[in-house]
Amino acid sequence: MSEKRQLALMFAPYALGALLLFIAPALYSLSLSLYDADLLTESRFIGFGNFAELAGDELFHEVLWRSALFVAIAVPLRLFVAVGLALLLFRVRAGRTAAFLPSVVPDAAWAAVWIFLLNPVYGPLNWLLGLVGIAPVSWFSSGWAAFFAIILMLAFTVGEAFIVALAARQELPEELYDVARLEGARPWYVLRAVTLPLMAPVLALLATRDVAVSLQATFTATYLLTDGGPDRATLLLPIYSFDMGFELLRYGYASAMMLLGFLGCLALGVAQWFVVKRWRLGLSH
């Protein structure tokens, strides 16, 4: 058997799984966005009617703004935690498993843990705040508190980004650090002038990936902890589309909403690819 045939046979299960679990549902959702569909009565083709309605939907605009704000805060925080852990544990094996562990805990179980941690009456987090003289926070009944509670909860699930950042740090040539030590360079200067610039392409890739992950990962946590409340403070794009599709049975409208989210992530990915390509060309010259 030829090498190409072996590779094709090895790739076939993955390709079949991707077709059945990702590509086919995505194409169906794309077509559904052009219909007024509730899956109970006959669907009616309306073209770009759903998108036109989205353009005038003030609640959608509010959700979009809040989702963008969430990404603007959560992505840098998650990236900071992942890269910080990777640099701290670069030469130390102990603790790597603990850094990755929250990412493999089921979302429902992770949400249950944080329901306990953020309990306004006996939660450990409010107890710690009390030790430094800060009044207890009503995490689930105050709008901004609930918003930041979701961000805080997701800041610990950075296992994949931690592994990638750790691998990127391990690939950096140690000769550069030997020269820096001989020159007496301070650690913060080495971090700013050597480590972070060399890791920049990987960090850009992680940031782009985390935009999509941060939005998707919010669904289970937000649905179980706040269900978009209080007063729509945690009503992000996944929850709003879920409500439209599975509670109001407006599947076409919900599909149009998520298609716009997908196109936004795609545009960000393409922009990131051009930036990294330009950066590599600059290095080659």
Side-chain angles (χ1 to χ4, degrees), residues 53-197:
E53 185 178 350
L54 280 173
D57 186 348
E58 293 185 2
L59 181 56
F60 173 69
H61 297 164
E62 179 186 337
V63 168
L64 207 58
W65 175 86
R66 190 179 297 109
S67 299
L69 178 63
F70 180 89
V71 167
I73 299 174
V75 170
L77 177 61
R78 286 167 56 85
L79 197 61
F80 175 80
V81 172
V83 175
L85 287 173
L87 297 179
L88 286 174
L89 301 177
F90 167 61
R91 301 185 186 280
V92 182
R93 292 187 177 274
R96 294 182 181 181
T97 301
F100 186 78
L101 187 61
S103 297
V104 299
V105 175
D107 290 342
W110 188 242
V113 169
W114 280 89
I115 289 175
F116 165 72
L117 293 176
L118 300 176
N119 187 284
V121 178
Y122 54 79
L125 188 54
N126 271 350
W127 177 76
L128 290 175
L129 293 176
L131 293 180
V132 295
I134 300 177
V137 178
S138 300
W139 293 101
F140 303 130
S141 58
S142 173
W144 282 108
F147 183 81
F148 284 105
I150 302 297
I151 293 176
L152 181 63
M153 184 179 68
L154 295 178
F156 289 87
T157 55
V158 293
E160 297 91 343
F162 161 71
I163 294 298
V164 174
L166 181 63
R169 174 60 184 86
Q170 290 174 336
E171 289 296 317
L172 299 185
E174 285 299 319
E175 294 83 358
L176 297 176
Y177 295 92
D178 293 337
V179 172
R181 280 191 290 270
L182 289 175
E183 294 291 335
R186 295 180 179 276
W188 282 110
Y189 178 82
V190 175
L191 174 66
R192 179 173 55 86
V194 179
T195 304
L196 293 182

Side-chain angles (χ1 to χ4, degrees), residues 176-236:
L176 297 176
Y177 295 92
D178 293 337
V179 172
R181 280 191 290 270
L182 289 175
E183 294 291 335
R186 295 180 179 276
W188 282 110
Y189 178 82
V190 175
L191 174 66
R192 179 173 55 86
V194 179
T195 304
L196 293 182
L198 291 178
M199 292 179 65
V202 175
L203 299 183
L205 177 63
L206 287 176
T208 305
R209 165 195 173 275
D210 217 41
V211 170
V213 170
S214 293
L215 285 176
Q216 295 177 29
T218 60
F219 176 78
T220 302
T222 307
Y223 187 74
L224 293 178
L225 268 65
T226 63
D227 195 18
D231 194 26
R232 302 202 299 259
T234 58
L235 185 61
L236 303 175

